Amino acid sequence: MADLKHVNPSTILWLDMEMTGLRPTTDRIVEAAAIATDWDFNELGVITSGVGQNEQTIKELFNQNPWAAARPAETQELIDLSRKSPAEPQVEAAFVQFVEQHAKENIVLLAGNSIHQDRQFIRAWWPNLEAKLHYRMLDVSAWKVVMQAKFGLEFPKKETHRALDDIRESIAELKFYLERAKW
């Protein structure tokens, strides 16, 4: 493995996952998507997949999640998606292959909104992908805090809570802040 402290990745892996909840040790991933970009945010590739999980297990986990209980239609969409999706090891392998295809250094910078949460799930469930990630992350939520507090900038979000939509919104949000910042 490359020495992650000295590699400056040329590829950003914008990632979002939909999970049964926010506890990485017990909740499960049911959908994942990623967009690889360069530093000008040009798309190099896109991958998206449901994650096949035991249906009874994810139903029980969703039932423990107040957010999911308040959104039965969206939750059922994710359960249906998981039911017809490849098993988790296959999905992780596809994401690793995606990184290898789009990252010349074989290491990518993980990016997204509150990306630390997704990273916890990657560490818990997808160790092979974790091995491809730079130790630093680009968290758009941190930018949001600074831009709102310092400059009064607020990005209007649609909040669809589907992985690929959320990624595209995160990229648009960072572009919004970069274009309007008063450096």
Side-chain angles (χ1 to χ4, degrees):
M1 180 181 346
D3 180 358
L4 298 180
K5 292 181 181 180
H6 301 291
V7 173
N8 187 11
S10 61
T11 304
I12 304 171
L13 185 72
W14 296 86
L15 182 129
D16 188 73
M17 294 177 160
E18 300 303 323
M19 297 84 75
T20 57
L22 298 177
R23 302 163 303 185
T25 56
T26 55
D27 281 304
R28 301 308 304 260
I29 303 163
V30 292
E31 181 183 31
I35 298 175
T37 72
D38 60 20
W39 282 95
D40 291 322
F41 309 121
N42 297 308
E43 286 190 18
L44 307 174
V46 176
I47 185 171
T48 183
S49 182
V51 180
Q53 302 286 4
N54 178 284
E55 188 170 346
Q56 188 58 38
T57 299
I58 64 171
K59 282 182 177 180
E60 289 172 10
L61 290 167
F62 274 131
N63 286 337
Q64 297 170 26
N65 179 341
W67 185 93
R71 293 162 183 80
E74 292 99 327
T75 300
Q76 188 60 51
E77 280 182 36
L78 290 170
I79 292 169
D80 294 343
L81 175 64
S82 177
R83 183 185 313 114
K84 62 184 179 184
S85 296
E88 190 165 31
Q90 292 172 281
V91 178
E92 181 195 15
F95 275 73
V96 169
Q97 183 179 24
F98 178 79
V99 169
E100 290 170 349
Q101 178 183 358
H102 294 289
K104 65 181 173 189
E105 301 90 359
N106 212 22
I107 295 290
V108 291
L109 183 71
L110 188 62
N113 262 298
S114 300
I115 197 62
H116 61 88
Q117 187 66 40
D118 301 85
R119 183 78 179 251
Q120 289 179 31
F121 276 82
I122 292 168
R123 283 185 180 125
W125 300 104
W126 293 13
N128 297 316
L129 181 60
E130 171 66 22
K132 301 287 183 186
L133 303 178
H134 194 272
Y135 72 100
R136 290 185 173 144
M137 295 180 283
L138 175 56
D139 191 338
V140 178
S141 300
W143 283 76
K144 177 193 321 269
V145 170
V146 172
M147 295 301 175
Q148 286 177 352
K150 179 88 174 144
F151 301 111
L153 293 174
E154 187 144 354
F155 180 76
K157 293 186 80 165
K158 295 175 187 152
E159 304 279 350
T160 64
H161 297 290
R162 291 304 301 267
L164 195 56
D165 293 337
D166 288 354
I167 293 168
R168 288 211 163 97
E169 194 167 60
S170 292
I171 295 169
E173 184 174 5
L174 184 56
K175 284 180 178 179
F176 173 86
Y177 297 139
L178 290 171
E179 289 166 358
R180 288 163 180 80
K182 299 174 185 172
W183 306 104

